[in-house]
Amino acid sequence: MNNPAGAPEAGAREAAAPETSAVTFTALGSWPGQDPVEAQRIIRGELGSPNLPFLPSLPDRGVGSDEIGRTAALLADLPVDLQPHGWRLVDRPGKDLRRAVSALSTDLDVLADLVGAEERPASSLKVHCHGPLSLAANLHLHHGERALLDHGARRDIRDALIDGVASLLRRAAIASPGVQLTLQLDEPQIGSVLDGTIPTASGYRTLRAVPEHEAVEAWNLLAEGARKAGAAAVVLSFRTAGQVSLLERVSGVGIAVPLDGLSHSEWEALAELVEAGRTLWAGVRVPRGKPARVQDTADALLRPWRGLGLALGSLASTRLTPAGALAEEGPAHARKVLAHLNQSADVLNQAIADA
């Protein structure tokens, strides 16, 4: 890459995501329960084309199936183990890492078996992992401090993750031949990383803020590596929209962000990305205990879209997602969320058709 930290290169518009002709939906990656066969059957059943099925993580399985352990299992030549304070970089692999590697291998084997048994397998698949900076904030060095503290450790984690993501994409392509792959990079703590509010291991102070240009460079390198390994699209997932403007400097990457509480200026930043051809994954919160109104979900997109003067036709590149991790919900509610997203996508597609 000639300009990893600079403005998007020519062709970034086309690289942002595969073209879609309708509002679709997916989920962010985690799923409740411990049975990978049941989980993937449900996901592949609910998320048929043109929607986006995904390889789920199942944190309920325990050590190594949590989001940090699962991503750390991808790190080439950077073994980890689990300590009371969290995952730690170590000199040689042990049982904790073996459990994480085994869980991911099982999930890919299950995927291959299910795809092989399907008459018409889905044409697309998403895989996900933590992004390099949120991962560094949750991995610890030998002495117990967070790896985020050390520039060299951040660089090593980034480079190892590039190789690990490439391996994951290649393995997913083998398990599901001919599939169009999407990589979702989760950066749930990026706001705190860039603001310098991540606490030290002792909790008595905070770590120095990571420069924005380092984050931009890391994401560009990850995206470039993913595309070389076969990804048709790369999407960065944030918990808030505060850092959305940084994506103007990350070539061809889409954005996943919850819609709750977006300010007018944050909507304007999202609108600029959409107009530049980037894909928006809009996070929708579906409450427990009371019926969610499909029209309310549709209006959460339609009102700001119209208010910003965006053409309704550009909504057809949008994917709906849950606002948070479905692993935190029970299986019944997780399926309810997917059904709600499906119905909401239908309402939005009708609005586009009527425009």
Side-chain angles (χ1 to χ4, degrees):
M1 178 175 295
N2 295 325
N3 185 23
E9 302 168 358
R13 182 184 182 94
E14 290 76 15
E19 290 295 324
T20 59
S21 57
V23 178
T24 57
F25 70 103
T26 188
L28 294 179
S30 66
W31 191 262
Q34 302 181 27
D35 185 346
V37 176
E38 179 186 18
Q40 292 196 49
R41 279 179 177 162
I42 293 171
I43 289 164
R44 296 184 70 78
E46 298 286 341
L47 288 161
S49 295
N51 302 303
L52 183 58
F54 57 97
L55 183 71
S57 56
L58 302 172
D60 290 347
R61 282 189 295 191
V63 173
S65 292
D66 61 288
E67 298 300 336
I68 301 303
R70 188 176 180 86
T71 303
L74 301 174
L75 299 179
D77 301 320
L78 282 183
V80 295
D81 69 7
L82 187 60
Q83 296 294 312
H85 56 267
W87 288 92
R88 177 185 66 168
L89 296 165
V90 293
D91 294 329
R92 59 183 63 85
K95 64 178 181 179
D96 298 326
L97 179 57
R98 286 193 292 271
R99 287 182 64 178
V101 169
S102 176
L104 179 56
S105 294
T106 295
D107 293 342
L108 288 164
D109 289 343
V110 168
L111 174 65
D113 290 344
L114 291 176
V115 169
E118 292 172 348
E119 291 185 10
R120 301 179 67 180
S123 60
S124 58
L125 177 72
K126 174 170 69 69
V127 296
H128 72 283
C129 65
H130 254 48
L133 293 172
S134 292
L135 183 60
N138 286 280
L139 292 179
H140 297 261
L141 302 172
H142 288 271
H143 55 74
E145 192 50 85
R146 297 179 191 271
L148 191 68
L149 173 73
D150 186 277
H151 180 269
R154 298 197 302 270
R155 182 193 60 233
D156 291 346
I157 290 169
R158 178 201 68 191
D159 292 348
L161 187 59
I162 291 171
D163 292 340
V165 162
S167 175
L168 174 62
L169 289 165
R170 288 191 290 265
R171 294 169 71 188
I174 292 170
S176 186
V179 78
Q180 192 173 55
L181 289 167
T182 294
L183 171 67
Q184 173 190 313
L185 285 173
D186 297 327
E187 288 281 15
Q189 291 173 289
I190 191 60
S192 298
V193 167
L194 298 178
D195 291 342
T197 57
I198 296 288
T200 60
S202 68
Y204 291 120
R205 59 187 182 90
T206 58
L207 299 179
R208 181 177 300 175
V210 173
E212 288 184 355
H213 69 80
E214 183 179 330
V216 169
E217 180 180 29
W219 295 332
N220 269 309
L221 291 172
L222 260 295
E224 180 187 43
R227 294 186 191 108
K228 287 181 178 178
V234 179
V235 172
L236 271 166
S237 174
F238 295 162
R239 281 185 179 166
T240 67
Q243 287 72 41
V244 163
S245 61
L246 292 179
L247 267 70
E248 295 176 1
R249 295 149 58 190
V250 185
S251 181
V253 170
I255 176 67
V257 66
L259 297 183
D260 286 1
L262 290 180
S263 67
H264 183 72
S265 62
E266 289 168 341
W267 267 115
E268 287 181 328
L270 288 173
E272 289 179 6
L273 291 174
V274 170
E275 290 181 322
R278 307 298 185 92
T279 296
L280 171 63
W281 290 10
V284 174
R285 195 166 305 282
V286 181
R288 282 175 167 271
K290 60 180 180 179
R293 295 186 69 249
V294 170
Q295 190 61 52
D296 288 345
T297 296
D299 287 343
L301 267 171
L302 290 171
R303 287 195 185 106
W305 217 265
R306 288 168 173 148
L308 290 164
L310 293 169
L312 278 187
S314 62
L315 265 176
S317 65
T318 302
R319 289 196 194 274
L320 302 179
T321 76
L326 289 180
E328 299 171 2
E329 312 289 349
H333 186 69
R335 297 186 73 163
K336 173 185 172 184
V337 170
L338 294 187
H340 179 81
L341 296 181
N342 191 11
Q343 295 164 10
S344 301
D346 287 344
V347 171
L348 287 165
N349 285 320
Q350 188 60 53
I352 294 169
D354 293 343

